[in-house]
Amino acid sequence: MKKIILLYLLVQLIATYAGGQIAGWDMDPLTGGTNDYGPSPYSPTTVGSNVIIGGLTRGPGVGTSGTGAGNAWGGNDFTATSLSNAVTTGDYATFTIKAQSGYTVSLSSIGAYNIRRSGTGPTTGQWQYQINSGSFVNIGSAITWGTTTSSAGNSQSAIDLSGITELQNVPSNSTITIRVVSWGGSGSAGSWYLNDPSGSPGDDFTVTGNATVLPIELTNFIAQEKEVHAVQINWSTASETNNAHFSIEKSPDGHAFRGIGQVPGHGTSYATNHYQFVDESPFPGLNYYRLKQVDFDGQYSYSPIVSVDFDGGRTSAVYPTLAKEVVYVSLPGDRNRSTGLFLFDQTGQLVGTQEVSGEAVLAEFPLAGLPPGMYFMKIQTAGVVETHRVVKME
C-alpha cells in the first residue's frame, strides 16, 4: 500500500506543470503582402503542458485590405472613437486559454510585447478578459500605443495577471478569453500589429502561468431555492487529496465573490463524499456560487460557478436578467393600484423610473443609453416593494 501511495504522489508531482510560459506566438514566419495581415486564427508556436490555447483571432470589425507588414500580425480599420464603440464594431483581437481535463490553469502575466501602428492607426487600446460567456472585464487602464509609426514599433510593458482572482485556478470546463480592443485611428487604412521589430527568432508575444492537477474530483455541484428564505448548496466529490476545507463564496454578478461559510474537507479520500451548505441570506434574483477548495498547505482552487434565481415569495418578475436594450417586467393582474418601477445603479443613484397602470400585466423598461453594469429594479405597489437585479451588457 505504501508503494502505491508513493507512486500516486510521484505521478501527481510529475503531472503538475511548475509554471512559466504557457503560450507564445512567433511573428517571424508572417511575410505580409497584399491583403495579408497574418492568418486568423493564428495558432501559437508554443503551448505549455496541460493547457489548450486558441489562436490569435481578429474581431469582425478588423480589416485586412491593403498591404500587410512582415514579422507582424494585425489588421486595419480601427476608426472607433471610444472603447465602447470599438467593442460594438468588433475592433479587437482575441485568444483563448483553457486547462486540459483534470487540471486548473492560473495566469501570471502577458509578457512585454511590441505594437506597430501606422500614422493613421489606432492610438489607444484596452486589454480585457472574460470567463466563459460572462462580461468582459478591463485589465488595468487603457494604454496609449505610442507615436512611432515605423517598423521599430512601440515597446509595451508586461501586464501582471497574478492579482486577478478570476484568472487563478480556472477549471477545465471554463474558457478564458483575452482580448485587446483598439480605437482612435484617423483613417480606415490605419493599421495595428503585434510586431517583431528585429525579426529575431523566438516568440514575440507570450503568456505565462501554470497548470496544476485538480486536488479534488468534483462530481456534482448545484444550488437550489429552499422554501422561501434560503438557498441550499450541495456538492459531491469522488476523490480528494490534501483537502482541508471548502469555502463557499457568493456573488451578485458572477465576478465579485465573497466568502459566506466554510465546510471541512475529508483530507485525502478515495470514497464518494457529499456536502451541503445553506445560504440563509440570498440576494433577490440571481445568486452566483462557487467553491474555493483549500489544501492543508494553503494552496487553493475554484470550482465552476453555479447560479440560482431566488424568488423568495415575489409575485413579479424581470427578464432577461442579462440585457442590452430593454427588460420586461411581469406583474400580477389583480392589482387595483398603479405600480412604480425604479431602476438604481450600484451606487444607489436613481437612473430611471416608470409608472404602470393597475390593469397592465407586462411593462417594457428601456436600458438604452445606460453604461454596462449591474442595476437594481425596485417594483413598488401600494407600499409593497420587490427588488430584482439586472445586468446591462455591452
Side-chain angles (χ1 to χ4, degrees):
M1 179 61 72
K2 289 183 178 179
K3 290 183 179 180
I4 293 175
I5 293 175
L6 287 174
L7 178 61
Y8 174 78
L9 292 176
L10 180 61
V11 171
Q12 291 283 85
L13 288 172
I14 293 174
T16 300
Y17 182 54
Q21 183 176 322
I22 61 172
W25 286 264
D26 184 1
M27 305 306 171
D28 297 336
L30 304 177
T31 57
T34 303
N35 300 329
D36 186 358
Y37 289 77
S40 177
Y42 179 38
S43 299
T45 48
T46 300
V47 177
S49 301
N50 307 314
V51 293
I52 302 168
I53 309 297
L56 285 166
T57 303
R58 281 183 284 270
V62 179
T64 55
S65 61
T67 303
N71 300 336
W73 181 93
N76 56 20
D77 197 7
F78 296 90
T79 55
T81 57
S82 67
L83 172 59
S84 60
N85 289 342
V87 168
T88 300
T89 56
D91 292 345
Y92 48 76
T94 67
F95 62 94
T96 59
I97 299 173
K98 185 176 181 178
Q100 290 187 354
S101 179
Y103 292 82
T104 65
V105 64
S106 299
L107 303 188
S108 301
S109 70
I110 295 173
Y113 58 103
N114 190 278
I115 293 297
R116 177 178 177 178
R117 54 177 291 268
S118 67
T120 57
T123 59
T124 312
Q126 175 68 61
W127 288 95
Q128 300 179 320
Y129 73 88
Q130 177 196 58
I131 306 297
N132 291 329
S133 58
S135 299
F136 276 90
V137 180
N138 289 344
I139 302 172
S141 303
I143 300 170
T144 300
W145 291 133
T147 58
T148 302
T149 57
S150 67
S151 60
N154 301 272
S155 297
Q156 308 294 328
S157 300
I159 300 173
D160 183 15
L161 305 176
S162 62
I164 302 176
T165 302
E166 289 80 3
L167 297 182
Q168 312 307 311
N169 302 295
V170 181
S172 60
N173 61 353
S174 295
T175 299
I176 303 168
T177 301
I178 304 290
R179 78 179 178 189
V180 55
V181 188
S182 292
W183 67 94
S186 57
S188 60
S191 57
W192 175 97
Y193 304 91
L194 288 164
N195 180 45
D196 179 4
S198 65
S200 57
D203 292 336
D204 306 301
F205 179 69
T206 61
V207 179
T208 64
N210 63 78
T212 308
V213 172
L214 281 168
I216 64 168
E217 186 180 352
L218 190 67
T219 59
N220 182 44
F221 180 34
I222 59 173
Q224 296 176 310
E225 184 172 349
K226 181 182 179 182
E227 299 173 349
V228 176
H229 303 294
V231 168
Q232 182 168 305
I233 304 161
N234 295 86
W235 67 100
S236 302
T237 62
S239 64
E240 302 179 25
T241 303
N242 196 32
N243 180 23
H245 66 266
F246 294 95
S247 176
I248 298 87
E249 298 186 346
K250 180 173 72 170
S251 168
D253 59 5
H255 291 293
F257 284 84
R258 64 176 180 86
I260 59 172
Q262 194 174 107
V263 175
H266 282 81
T268 297
S269 169
Y270 302 104
T272 299
N273 294 299
H274 302 286
Y275 297 89
Q276 178 179 300
F277 181 84
V278 177
D279 177 12
E280 297 181 347
S281 302
F283 302 119
L286 279 173
N287 291 254
Y288 297 87
Y289 297 94
R290 71 182 182 187
L291 302 174
K292 180 180 180 181
Q293 180 276 323
V294 183
D295 292 348
F296 286 109
D297 61 5
Q299 297 295 312
Y300 62 89
S301 63
Y302 289 106
S303 74
I305 297 170
V306 298
S307 65
V308 59
D309 190 358
F310 180 70
D311 180 86
R314 294 173 299 173
T315 60
S316 60
V318 176
Y319 60 91
T321 54
L322 302 177
K324 291 184 177 181
E325 301 294 332
V326 66
V327 293
Y328 298 92
V329 182
S330 175
L331 300 166
D334 57 353
R335 306 176 344 273
N336 55 14
R337 296 189 184 183
S338 63
T339 295
L341 308 180
F342 306 90
L343 189 67
F344 297 85
D345 64 16
Q346 294 184 73
T347 68
Q349 181 178 353
L350 182 64
V351 296
T353 64
Q354 186 174 327
E355 185 172 343
V356 184
S357 69
E359 294 79 20
V361 295
L362 185 66
E364 182 177 302
F365 198 102
L367 301 180
L370 294 174
M374 184 170 61
Y375 294 85
F376 296 89
M377 172 77 74
K378 290 191 176 181
I379 303 172
Q380 182 172 352
T381 305
V384 177
V385 178
E386 297 179 8
T387 303
H388 300 254
R389 282 185 300 110
V390 174
V391 176
K392 167 69 184 296
M393 306 295 289
E394 292 180 345

